[in-house]
Structure formats: structure tokens, C-alpha cells
Amino acid sequence: MEKEAGFEAAAVRLDDPWYDEPSPGWDELDGTGSGVPAGPAPAQQGHSAADIYLEVQRSEAFREVRRRYRRFVVPAAVAFLLWYVAYVVAATTAHELMARPVAGAVNVAMVAGLGQFLTTFLLTWAYARHARLRRDRAALDLRWDTQEMTRGIGR
């Protein structure tokens, strides 16, 4: 990008709506005109971002979001894997059962194979629904709180 449009095209515009305020030292030139900080940022008072994220990770709200996630994902994954293994084992060992016609040229193996696709889509829908109803709001609240706490670090 620098070759075609020059260095200024790659720089962040100050009227950018996603731009809050410069990090310490970024608004000062280092003598080369590059706009990067001349040295390490001054030590910040209070908590660091790592401390904040660890604090959030240890919070009860975070544990509840993870608990809700695991309560759905672990049983669903186990059930789906058992269903898949049962299909593969039946396809390789129970030839007579899988070859039994259901309707015309459609046999049990075809129905079970299509059932694999159907359960994949149903599981995806159930996961999205569970996330929307049970976890998304709490996770968004955690994210918002974390961003608010980390936003105050640079000030």
C-alpha cells in the first residue's frame, strides 16, 4: 500500500469513528517521522489488561457462561459421536440390516446416511438456539464489562 499510494494512505485517520484516543506516545514522533513511540510506554498505574482478564476469568459470571456451554456441548457431542460410530459400525458389520429396503431402491443405509446430515443440521440449529437463549447475553455483558475495565487502563 505504501508503494502505490504513499505512506500517508496507510496511516490511521484521526476522524476514524473507531478511533477513541491515541495510546501513550503514539501522537509523538520519534524523530524519523514514522509516528511510532520512541521508547516503551510509561508504566501504568493500577491493573494491567492481563490482570483484568484473569479477574474476569475467575468471576462467577464467566464460570456460569462456561458451565452453560459445557452442559450443552459435552452431551450433544457425545450423543452425536455415538450416533456416528453406530452408523459406521452398522454399515461395516450389519450388511443385511443396512441393505434392507425401506421404500423402492431406498434402503436403511441411505436413510441412516441422510439421517447423519439431518442430525448435523439439527445439532447446529440447537447449538445456535442454546447460545442465543442461554449464553450470548451473559457473554456480551462480560465482554462489555471487560472492555470498560481495560479502556480505563491507558488514562
Side-chain angles (χ1 to χ4, degrees):
M1 187 161 180
E2 291 179 26
K3 290 181 182 177
E4 290 83 15
F7 180 73
E8 292 300 319
V12 175
R13 295 186 346 234
L14 294 179
D15 61 338
D16 186 354
W18 296 102
Y19 180 81
D20 288 329
E21 67 184 37
S23 296
W26 279 93
D27 53 346
E28 303 167 4
L29 298 178
D30 64 352
T32 63
S34 65
V36 296
Q44 299 171 357
Q45 299 174 1
H47 297 292
S48 69
D51 294 336
I52 291 171
Y53 283 105
L54 284 173
E55 180 182 333
V56 170
Q57 185 179 8
R58 291 180 186 126
S59 71
E60 183 58 36
F62 182 83
R63 282 189 290 220
E64 182 61 29
V65 169
R66 295 295 297 170
R67 193 176 305 124
R68 289 177 185 177
Y69 171 78
R70 276 189 235 107
R71 275 191 206 145
F72 179 83
V73 169
V74 171
V78 168
F80 185 78
L81 286 174
L82 287 174
W83 159 231
Y84 177 74
V85 168
Y87 170 70
V88 171
V89 168
T92 57
T93 60
H95 299 289
E96 299 82 25
L97 171 68
M98 298 301 266
R100 187 173 296 157
V102 174
V106 178
N107 59 18
V108 172
M110 291 177 156
V111 171
L114 291 173
Q116 289 288 316
F117 286 104
L118 179 64
T119 54
T120 301
F121 292 121
L122 285 174
L123 187 59
T124 303
W125 170 80
Y127 176 83
R129 183 175 185 274
H130 182 270
R132 185 181 70 245
L133 295 177
R134 307 254 192 254
R135 294 188 324 264
D136 284 353
R137 177 61 56 195
L140 248 131
D141 290 343
L142 274 172
R143 180 179 178 193
W144 183 262
D145 293 344
T146 305
Q147 287 179 348
E148 287 296 314
M149 286 188 281
T150 57
R151 186 172 290 147
I153 289 176
R155 295 182 182 172

